[in-house]
Amino acid sequence: MHYILAIIILVTSLYAKTKEFSIVVDEPFSNTLLDVTENYDRTISAVGFIKTQKSIVSKKGTTYTNAFDYLSSISNTHGSQIHLVKVDNQANITLRKSINLNNFNEAVSILKTPESGYYIGGYTLDGSLLILKLNSDGDIIFRKTFGTSNYDKMSNLILLKDGGVLAIGSSVTTRSRNDKLFESGLGLNDIYISRFSKDGIKLWSKKFGTEYDDKGIDATEANDGSIIVLSQTNHDKFKNISIMRLTENGDSIWLDHYRNEKLITPHKIIQLKDNNFVISLSQEDDMHKQQIRLMKFDIQKNILLDKIIHTTYASTLKDIKEYSDSKLIGVGYVSDTYNRDGLAMLLDSEFNMLQQEHFGEESYDEFSALTILHNSQAVAVGVHTDKDSQETNMWLVKLNKDISLAQTAPRATDFYKELCRVFKDEINSHKLIIKEDLSIMFIDKSLYFKTAQYKLTGKQEKFLKSFGEKLLPFLHVNKMLINTLEINGHTSSEWAGADFTNTYLLNEKLSMNRSFSTLAYMFKKQDIKTQNLLSNIIKGSGLNSSKRVILDEKEDREKSRRVSFKIILK
C-alpha cells in the first residue's frame, strides 16, 4: 500500500515556505471528527466528539458496604461530548469547543446556518436524539431533544431548502402501548425520521421498516421537495438496502428493496446536478473483501448505472460529493490484514476511477466525511492513529482537486515579503513598487505608455522580459497557492474632443489593449509548460481611468497610462 504521513510537516519551496494541510488533534482516549463544512469566511469547521469525564461530588456522610454500590454511584462518569473545531487557511486551529451536556453524547453532522452558525445533529448515549443550533462561536442558541421512549440513534442530519432540517436514524422497537408514535414497533430496529422547521419546531416524526432489523442511513431532498431515503435491513447473515421516496410530509410514494446474496452496506446518497441520485455502497466479493459499489437512479427509481469499483485492497467510500464538472470525489478507507488507511478517490460521471490516494501511517486511519470548497479543493475528516498507539485522534486533511495533499495558504504578509525579496533589485532601483495586497506597480517613466498608445516599446519589452524571468518561476513554484494573476491596463481620464460617453468607451478599449499587448508578449515568450500554467491563472482586464494616479490631489496623467499586476491567493 502507498502511505503518506499525514502530520503537519514543513515543506520548503523555492520562495514561499508552506506546509502540508493535515491536522491531527491529539487528546486523551479515542476521539474522532465525523463531519465538516466550509464557513462563509472560507474557514473550515468540523464536528466530532472527544472523551471526557464528569466530576463526581460524593455525598457527605455516605458509607458504602460493598464495591457494587460504590461502582453504581460513579457510573456514567466517563463518555463522549460533542466537539467543534474551526481551522483557518494556514491550518491554524482558531476555535475548539466542547458542547457539554448533562448526558454524554456524540455528533454525526454539521450544517451551516444563514447567520454563520451551525446546526449539529447527534444523539445521547442513553438513547435520545439531539439537534443543536449554535452561533459562530459555538454557543448554544437552542437544543432539541426528541425521539421515542426507547433507544434511538441518529445517522445524519440533512439541510432542507426551506431552512429546516431532517433527522434520520434508527429506533429500537416499541412494545409499550403508551408510546405516542406507535402502539407497537415494526421490527427489531426501525427507520426513524423527524422533520424540523428552521425555527426548531418539530413538524412530524415517522417510523418505517420491516419485521427485521432496519436502520435509516442517509437522505436527500429532491427538487420537487420529496425526500429520498437510503436505509439498510439486516436479516440473518444478509445486509440488504432499501431506497424510499417520501412526500415532504413523510408519506410514502414508493419503496424498493435491493436484495443480494453478498453482504452489502449503504453509506451515502447525494443528488446530482442532473437531478438524478447516486448512492455509495460497499459489497463483499468472493474473497470476502469489501469493494466500492456505486448506483445511479432517477426519481422514479429506475437504475441508470450500477458499477463495482474493483481495487487491490478492501475499499469503502463513506462519503461522496459531485464537482461542477460532474466528476465525483469520495473518501473512506482502504485496508488489508494489518493496516487501514484513509482513502480519497476521484471518478468521472460514469464511475470510472481516475485517481486514488491513500493517507496515513502503519496503523488505523480513516476518513468519515468530506466537503468541496469554493476553490474546488476538498476537506476530509476522520481519525488518525499514531504508530504503536491504541487511541484514535481527530484528523482533518485538505486535498487538491487531483486529490493530492494541499499546502497551507501563506499569510498575505508572508507572501508579500517573499515577493519583495524576489524583486529587491527592481524596488531599490525604483522600477516598481509592491503593495501588501500583492499588486505590482511600474513606476519607471520609461515603462509608461504615450498618449493613446498601447503597443509596447523596446524598453517596455526588455523590462517585461526580465520581470517575467523572475515572476513566472515564483508563480510556478507556488501554483497551488495562487488563484489569479491579473494584468490590468490603465489610462488617464481625458480624451481630446470627446464627450463623456465616448471618453469612457475609448479609454476602456485603450486600457484593454494595453492589458492584452502586455499579456500577449509575456505569454508568447514562455515554453508550453509555463503557458499551461498561465492559461489557468492569468486574467487580463481594462480598468479605464478608475485607478488613475493622484498626486497632491491632482491626476498625474503620465503615470496613469500604465499596466499593473496583481496576485490573488486562494
Side-chain angles (χ1 to χ4, degrees):
M1 299 174 73
H2 174 58
Y3 304 106
I4 298 176
L5 179 60
I7 310 295
I8 303 176
I9 304 171
L10 291 179
V11 179
T12 303
S13 68
L14 181 59
Y15 299 114
K17 291 182 179 179
T18 60
K19 56 187 177 182
E20 292 178 342
F21 204 116
S22 178
I23 301 171
V24 174
V25 182
D26 191 353
E27 287 281 346
F29 313 115
S30 290
N31 311 286
T32 185
L33 289 176
L34 289 166
D35 201 11
V36 61
T37 188
E38 183 178 27
N39 301 313
Y40 301 128
D41 63 0
R42 309 307 196 191
T43 57
I44 299 159
S45 290
V47 73
F49 62 83
I50 63 172
K51 299 295 182 180
T52 187
Q53 174 181 344
K54 288 183 182 177
S55 59
I56 300 298
V57 180
S58 60
K59 296 179 181 178
K60 189 175 181 180
T62 301
T63 301
Y64 298 100
T65 57
N66 62 66
F68 294 103
D69 289 339
Y70 172 72
L71 290 174
S72 176
S73 73
I74 63 171
S75 64
N76 298 319
T77 60
H78 296 80
S80 305
Q81 292 284 9
I82 293 171
H83 196 72
L84 179 68
V85 178
K86 191 173 182 180
V87 178
D88 66 17
N89 288 331
Q90 287 77 45
N92 300 311
I93 297 175
T94 60
L95 176 68
R96 283 190 57 193
K97 191 164 190 175
S98 289
I99 316 300
N100 294 310
L101 305 179
N102 292 331
N103 297 321
F104 290 119
N105 55 89
E106 295 184 2
V108 297
S109 298
I110 182 169
L111 306 169
K112 287 299 297 176
T113 65
E115 303 82 16
S116 297
Y118 312 96
Y119 285 118
I120 305 293
Y123 55 94
T124 64
L125 299 190
D126 60 357
S128 296
L129 303 179
L130 287 172
I131 293 178
L132 305 175
K133 188 175 184 180
L134 311 179
N135 64 19
S136 58
D137 294 322
D139 301 319
I140 297 176
I141 298 174
F142 68 68
R143 178 181 71 185
K144 299 293 179 180
T145 303
F146 61 103
T148 68
S149 59
N150 288 356
Y151 182 86
D152 302 325
K153 187 173 182 180
M154 190 182 297
S155 299
N156 206 356
L157 188 70
I158 297 95
L159 186 65
L160 303 174
K161 295 183 179 70
D162 63 2
V165 293
L166 187 82
I168 181 169
S170 59
S171 176
V172 173
T173 295
T174 299
R175 296 301 180 190
S176 170
R177 291 189 176 275
N178 295 322
D179 191 290
K180 295 180 181 179
L181 188 62
F182 279 98
E183 290 186 354
S184 62
L186 303 173
L188 302 175
N189 276 294
D190 303 318
I191 302 163
Y192 185 67
I193 303 176
S194 292
R195 180 168 185 158
F196 288 78
S197 71
K198 63 181 179 181
D199 300 317
I201 299 171
K202 187 167 72 170
L203 303 177
W204 51 262
S205 289
K206 295 194 177 184
K207 276 189 177 184
F208 305 88
T210 66
E211 60 185 298
Y212 304 113
D213 189 4
D214 299 293
K215 179 181 179 182
I217 301 297
D218 196 14
T220 189
E221 185 179 19
N223 283 352
D224 64 355
S226 62
I227 298 164
I228 311 298
V229 177
L230 176 65
S231 62
Q232 174 180 303
T233 300
N234 298 333
H235 173 41
D236 294 334
K237 297 180 180 180
F238 301 106
K239 289 183 179 180
N240 298 312
I241 65 166
S242 298
I243 303 173
M244 177 169 51
R245 184 182 174 202
L246 308 176
T247 68
E248 60 182 12
N249 297 316
D251 300 321
S252 180
I253 300 174
W254 52 254
L255 169 67
D256 230 357
H257 295 288
Y258 296 88
R259 294 179 174 84
N260 198 315
E261 293 183 357
K262 301 180 184 299
L263 288 177
I264 185 167
T265 304
H267 300 289
K268 189 68 179 178
I269 181 170
I270 62 170
Q271 185 180 28
L272 302 174
K273 295 195 309 299
D274 63 6
N275 299 325
N276 293 313
F277 306 89
V278 169
I279 56 175
S280 175
L281 314 164
S282 54
Q283 179 175 306
E284 280 196 355
D285 60 17
D286 293 336
M287 302 298 292
H288 302 291
K289 180 176 67 177
Q290 293 290 327
Q291 296 285 6
I292 298 162
R293 180 179 174 187
L294 299 175
M295 290 177 58
K296 181 178 180 180
F297 61 96
D298 64 20
I299 200 167
Q300 301 300 334
K301 66 182 178 179
N302 300 304
I303 300 298
L304 307 176
L305 184 60
D306 187 350
K307 189 170 184 177
I308 295 178
I309 315 298
H310 294 282
T311 54
T312 303
Y313 300 97
S315 302
T316 293
L317 294 181
K318 300 186 74 174
D319 196 6
I320 52 173
K321 294 289 188 296
E322 184 187 27
Y323 280 110
S324 58
D325 62 2
S326 298
K327 290 179 182 176
L328 296 172
I329 181 174
V331 297
Y333 60 86
V334 56
S335 58
D336 60 16
T337 306
Y338 306 102
N339 180 54
R340 176 172 287 195
D341 282 346
L343 170 67
M345 186 176 288
L346 188 66
L347 305 109
D348 66 18
S349 59
E350 298 297 314
F351 303 158
N352 298 306
M353 185 174 65
L354 304 175
Q355 186 84 15
Q356 68 166 319
E357 293 290 348
H358 304 169
F359 301 85
E361 290 189 75
E362 296 183 10
S363 190
Y364 185 96
D365 304 282
E366 178 179 313
F367 293 134
S368 299
L370 83 151
T371 189
I372 295 178
L373 305 179
H374 69 285
N375 60 358
S376 294
Q377 290 181 312
V379 173
V381 295
V383 294
H384 166 77
T385 309
D386 294 327
K387 189 176 181 181
D388 300 323
S389 173
Q390 301 304 308
E391 296 177 349
T392 60
N393 300 310
M394 292 178 280
W395 190 23
L396 183 149
V397 171
K398 183 183 284 190
L399 304 173
N400 297 313
K401 191 174 180 183
D402 63 359
I403 64 175
S404 61
L405 193 58
Q407 304 294 302
T408 58
R411 292 182 299 174
T413 52
D414 293 340
F415 213 93
Y416 164 73
K417 291 176 182 178
E418 293 291 343
L419 199 57
C420 288
R421 187 179 66 81
V422 172
F423 290 105
K424 179 178 66 174
D425 293 341
E426 288 79 5
I427 293 172
N428 292 337
S429 62
H430 305 291
K431 297 288 185 182
L432 59 78
I433 58 173
I434 300 175
K435 296 183 177 181
E436 291 191 10
D437 66 354
L438 304 183
S439 58
I440 304 171
M441 313 291 293
F442 296 163
I443 58 174
D444 188 291
K445 291 180 64 175
S446 65
L447 302 178
Y448 300 142
F449 288 88
K450 299 296 182 182
T451 303
Q453 297 298 308
Y454 63 86
K455 293 184 178 179
L456 298 175
T457 65
K459 289 184 178 180
Q460 287 174 320
E461 289 182 347
K462 182 179 179 181
F463 181 79
L464 285 173
K465 182 176 183 297
S466 62
F467 174 76
E469 288 171 352
K470 291 186 176 182
L471 178 65
L472 297 178
F474 180 84
L475 298 179
H476 180 76
V477 170
N478 297 287
K479 62 184 179 181
M480 302 309 298
L481 311 173
I482 295 171
N483 187 66
T484 308
L485 171 66
E486 291 184 349
I487 302 179
N488 298 312
H490 304 266
T491 69
S492 56
S493 60
E494 85 285 1
W495 196 285
D499 58 20
F500 179 82
T501 300
N502 286 320
T503 296
Y504 174 82
L505 294 176
L506 291 168
N507 273 326
E508 182 64 20
K509 182 178 180 181
L510 178 60
S511 64
M512 289 192 290
N513 284 338
R514 286 172 177 172
S515 169
F516 179 77
S517 63
T518 304
L519 184 155
Y521 176 80
M522 295 186 68
F523 192 85
K524 289 177 181 178
K525 291 293 182 182
Q526 311 312 315
D527 58 28
I528 188 66
K529 183 178 180 180
T530 306
Q531 286 181 342
N532 284 332
L533 167 66
L534 288 175
S535 67
N536 290 319
I537 65 172
I538 203 165
K539 175 186 176 183
S541 60
L543 297 184
N544 206 304
S545 58
S546 61
K547 304 292 183 182
R548 58 190 180 275
V549 178
I550 304 297
L551 295 175
D552 298 326
E553 299 183 355
K554 292 183 180 180
E555 177 185 356
D556 188 319
R557 293 178 175 178
E558 181 183 25
K559 292 182 178 180
S560 296
R561 303 175 188 125
R562 70 199 190 280
V563 290
S564 64
F565 292 74
K566 186 173 183 178
I567 297 171
I568 299 175
L569 303 179
K570 290 181 178 178

